[in-house]
């Protein structure tokens, strides 16, 4: 493919965000628009670097680094569990979880009751206080492009569908178990697994990498220029 780097005016900010695990959606209008318009060129360039650029049809982009395989890190597990808790909590309140987690919002003042109600599940995520909930979960959601913090009101963005997909899969497994067993034994919520288990399909790039984003971007551009030579 013929790649014109001059057209890719958003290359540096796009790569910087994707490289650290951020999910680019319409909340970042300029990078998102350029990714949409030059999707094939960006995919080819990033492929030379060893990253797969994924375009989810629900309106967001993210990296899947080939070298990580199916390894799931602790952050991804924690955020998936939090999404499961939110789905359960919203349903219990008679609120539509999809409406909230797909462009809706949650107030900071709702966190104490949520933490108290699901304390046992939050213990799995090593979250015991509201400060830890905000630091280990909410802040990571905003850092990775799953939500925005507007003065204590957390608005969820399209990339939340990645975790909603996991919740849907868990719910389907629970429904299947219910249909197969006549007893009314409670079905457990998903538990955090060891990091080397590799069963889930959510992969988040760790912040600490051996190669800096600047070096990686320079290497990708150099590789593309060699292909053009």
């Amino acid at each position: 493919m013929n790649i014109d780097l001059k057209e890719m005016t958003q290359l540096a900010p796009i790569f910087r965000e994707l490289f650290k695990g951020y999910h680019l959606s319409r909340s970042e209008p300029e990078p998102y628009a350029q990714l949409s318009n030059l999707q094939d060129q960006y995919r080819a360039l990033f492929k030379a670097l060893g990253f797969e650029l994924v375009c989810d049809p629900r309106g967001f982009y993210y990296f899947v680094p080939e070298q990580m395989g199916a390894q799931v890190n602790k952050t991804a597990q924690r955020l998936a569990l939090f999404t499961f808790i939110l789905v359960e909590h919203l349903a219990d309140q008679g609120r539509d979880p999809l409406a909230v987690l797909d462009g809706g919002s949650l107030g900071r003042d709702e966190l104490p009751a949520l933490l108290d109600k699901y304390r046992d599940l939050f213990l799995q995520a090593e979250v015991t206080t509201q400060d830890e909930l905000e630091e280990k979960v909410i802040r990571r959601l905003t850092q990775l492009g799953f939500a925005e913090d507007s003065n204590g009101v957390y608005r969820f963005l399209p990339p939340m569908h990645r975790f909603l997909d996991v919740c849907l899969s868990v719910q389907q497994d629970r429904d299947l178990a219910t249909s197969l067993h006549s007893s009314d034994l409670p079905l457990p919520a998903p538990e955090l697994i060891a990091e080397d288990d590799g069963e889930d399909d959510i992969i988040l790039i760790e912040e600490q990498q051996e190669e800096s984003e600047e070096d990686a971007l320079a290497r990708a551009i150099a590789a593309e220029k060699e292909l053009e030579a």
Side-chain angles (χ1 to χ4, degrees), residues 80-140:
L81 180 61
F82 177 70
T83 306
F84 175 88
I85 290 172
L86 271 183
V87 168
E88 294 274 310
H89 175 68
L90 295 168
D92 287 348
Q93 289 188 328
R95 299 158 69 184
D96 181 357
L98 182 57
V100 174
L101 295 174
D102 185 12
S105 61
L106 183 79
R108 186 174 185 269
D109 57 351
E110 297 183 62
L111 296 183
L114 188 68
L115 181 63
D116 185 64
K117 182 179 179 181
Y118 295 96
R119 188 166 299 277
D120 289 344
L121 286 178
F122 276 116
L123 283 175
Q124 291 187 38
E126 300 173 355
V127 171
T128 59
T129 67
Q130 183 171 340
D131 286 343
E132 289 181 342
L133 176 55
E134 293 184 23
E135 176 68 19
K136 294 182 178 181
V137 177
I138 302 298
R139 189 172 72 89
R140 296 298 286 146

Side-chain angles (χ1 to χ4, degrees), residues 110-210:
E110 297 183 62
L111 296 183
L114 188 68
L115 181 63
D116 185 64
K117 182 179 179 181
Y118 295 96
R119 188 166 299 277
D120 289 344
L121 286 178
F122 276 116
L123 283 175
Q124 291 187 38
E126 300 173 355
V127 171
T128 59
T129 67
Q130 183 171 340
D131 286 343
E132 289 181 342
L133 176 55
E134 293 184 23
E135 176 68 19
K136 294 182 178 181
V137 177
I138 302 298
R139 189 172 72 89
R140 296 298 286 146
L141 284 173
T142 60
Q143 287 178 332
L144 294 169
F146 294 100
E148 290 180 336
D149 182 357
S150 300
N151 297 319
V153 176
Y154 309 117
R155 185 172 72 87
F156 298 103
L157 302 173
M160 280 298 294
H161 277 285
R162 293 193 73 194
F163 295 117
L164 285 169
D165 289 346
V166 174
C167 292
L168 178 61
S169 176
V170 170
Q171 185 60 50
Q172 289 173 340
D173 290 343
R174 295 173 70 180
D175 292 343
L176 177 61
T178 300
S179 67
L180 292 176
H181 300 282
S182 59
S183 65
D184 293 324
L185 293 176
L187 295 169
E191 296 184 0
L192 295 188
I193 57 176
E195 289 192 20
D196 60 355
D197 193 291
E199 293 293 330
D200 290 55
D201 60 358
I202 293 285
I203 302 173
L204 299 182
I205 304 172
E206 295 289 356
E207 289 186 349
Q208 300 299 323
Q209 310 227 7
E210 292 182 2

